[in-house]
Amino acid sequence: MPSNAPSPSAPAAVLCGLAGWVPSRVVTNDELAERLDTDDTWIRTRTGIRRRHLADPGQATSDLAVEAGRLALRSAEGGSGDGSADTVIVATTTPDRPCPATAPLVAARLGLDGAAAFDVGAVCTGFVYGLATAAGLIASRVAARVLLIGADTYSTIVDPLDRANAIIFGDGAGAVVLRAGHPDEPGAVGHVDLGSDGAHEDLIMVAAGGSRRPYAHGGEPTPAQRHFAMRGREVYRHAVTRMAASARTALDRAGRKTDDVDHLVPHQANLRILHSVADDLGLPRERCVANVDSVGNTGAASIPLALADAAARGRIRPGDRLLLTAFGGGLTWGSCLLTWPSLPTHPQSERTTP
Ligand code: UT7
């Protein structure tokens, strides 16, 4: 297995700012059960979700991304000097528009004039793909300070009457600031694994609105083609096997074992999936960081939101060794090792804690 450790002479991407932000509107399982053929017990036992936050009508992904981004820059400012970034990456499946990307608008609204800005599309794996991209830009000295935001408003693509999906997804944004530093210091993005299998693109999909089935030229899509669709049971199976395998690959590349992991931080898909990944890796479930109960599955935002929540609660502490792992549509997957740094403040806590 080839090691993909950054060259010792190249700068590493070091986490120096973190924040999460969720919209204020809380939707409980009971509230969903008023309009869907479902109930709180089914949702809790099948997914571990108790509530989620949903954007208000008119609130777009960039609105959430700007809030999380501003808090992350402020957090970084407390830690290492300035609240700026020369590059903004937004990982999202729900951009404000098909064109242009959402990141330039986010950069402009944050006052980061002239910053390089682009979106990463890897569905729920977007944040881990974004971390790897940021690390590469920093290692090659193209960027010195990257604001990476995972932000999604799944409520804008999920059919509110689709009980299988409406119960799972929530809206939110999580952001980190990465600066150039040394590969050995806490917070340095460590060994990474990324992968995909496009042969299974049909398992998670919004069928219309792209070049395959455009809205333009009179190609009127059916309501089902406009909405997010997921073959839940099959996705479940892939999510467990892919996240566990990817996590193992990242560990192998680092020459580490599961015993070396203090916290597994998986994409918050479904509590049963998180526990199955931990079981598969032979990690005690208590080492699995989970906040899916209070925010649901927030797509590309889920890992930074889980990190922000766990850090705010003191659940993860400086020096702890973390293994991040994600899975999403594409199919895509990815994992990354990280030793937790000392971060100044976690101003997001009041918005993500129950
Ligand atoms: O973030 C990207 C990755 N996404 C994921 O990882 C999500 C992966 N999938 C899942 O989390 C689960 O598959 C779901 C939560 C979506 C569904 O749970 P499940 O245990 O796999 O249920 P199922 O789809 O196998 O459905 C079991 C039954 C079905 O009824 P029948 O056919 O057995 O009569 C469904 O119609 O549960 C029914 N059902 C529901 N019942 C009450 C499906 N959704 C609901 C619901 N309330 N909301």
Side-chain angles (χ1 to χ4, degrees):
M1 187 70 64
S3 167
N4 64 356
S7 145
S9 59
V14 177
L15 185 72
C16 64
L18 166 73
W21 195 89
V22 289
S24 57
R25 185 158 63 106
V26 176
V27 177
T28 63
N29 292 345
D30 285 337
E31 199 176 329
L32 287 179
E34 288 170 15
R35 60 176 161 85
L36 296 171
D37 182 15
T38 189
D39 58 74
D40 175 57
T41 306
W42 194 96
I43 300 172
R44 269 192 295 106
T45 51
R46 297 282 181 137
T47 71
I49 298 167
R50 293 171 184 272
R51 62 186 158 276
R52 71 286 294 144
H53 295 248
L54 298 188
D56 286 325
Q59 208 170 18
T61 293
S62 66
D63 299 325
L64 280 58
V66 164
E67 298 292 349
R70 184 174 289 124
L71 292 171
L73 289 169
R74 199 176 294 161
S75 152
E77 193 174 358
S80 60
D82 75 70
S84 68
D86 55 44
T87 303
V88 176
I89 304 174
V90 174
T92 187
T93 307
T94 52
D96 284 21
R97 299 182 174 86
C99 173
T102 301
L105 173 64
V106 171
R109 288 178 59 189
L110 290 170
L112 300 171
D113 300 332
F118 59 96
D119 291 359
V120 165
V123 194
C124 298
T125 318
F127 182 76
V128 174
Y129 267 69
L131 273 182
T133 305
L137 289 171
I138 287 174
S140 58
R141 297 186 167 84
V142 171
R145 202 171 174 92
V146 179
L147 173 63
L148 167 63
I149 307 172
D152 267 313
T153 47
Y154 269 86
S155 63
T156 61
I157 56 171
V158 169
D159 178 352
L161 298 179
D162 170 5
R163 69 173 179 173
N165 289 314
I167 58 148
I168 300 176
F169 289 96
D171 300 333
V176 293
V177 180
L178 299 147
R179 63 168 170 81
H182 194 273
D184 291 337
E185 63 179 305
V189 173
H191 289 73
V192 172
D193 172 62
L194 300 177
S196 77
D197 181 1
H200 292 293
E201 64 149 6
D202 56 327
L203 295 186
I204 294 177
M205 179 181 277
V206 179
S211 58
R212 176 68 61 199
R213 197 180 292 273
Y215 285 157
H217 311 305
E220 190 55 32
T222 64
Q225 289 167 344
R226 285 175 188 273
H227 287 118
F228 176 90
M230 177 169 70
R231 302 228 299 266
R233 209 175 287 189
E234 285 166 77
V235 170
Y236 189 116
R237 193 167 44 78
H238 280 284
V240 175
T241 55
R242 298 298 195 183
M243 280 197 277
S246 175
R248 266 196 202 93
T249 300
L251 283 171
D252 286 350
R253 286 180 175 168
R256 297 276 182 189
K257 302 203 172 330
T258 46
D259 276 354
D260 298 327
V261 175
D262 296 309
H263 307 283
L264 177 69
V265 189
H267 163 52
Q268 306 287 303
N270 171 334
L271 192 61
R272 286 161 57 214
I273 292 176
L274 309 197
H275 285 164
S276 296
V277 174
D279 294 350
D280 193 309
L281 290 171
L283 274 170
R285 290 182 177 184
E286 310 80 70
R287 285 198 219 164
C288 180
V289 169
N291 70 338
V292 66
D293 61 321
S294 58
V295 294
N297 178 342
T298 56
S302 91
I303 287 182
L305 272 177
L307 288 173
D309 189 51
R313 291 165 188 265
R315 164 94 198 268
I316 51 177
R317 295 167 188 281
D320 287 354
R321 281 169 299 199
L322 274 57
L323 173 56
L324 317 183
T325 186
F327 170 84
L331 301 173
T332 55
W333 56 84
S335 302
C336 170
L337 292 164
L338 186 70
T339 300
W340 198 246
S342 177
L343 295 175
T345 53
H346 305 286
Q348 74 294 330
S349 56
E350 64 276 11
R351 303 303 295 269
T352 56
T353 46

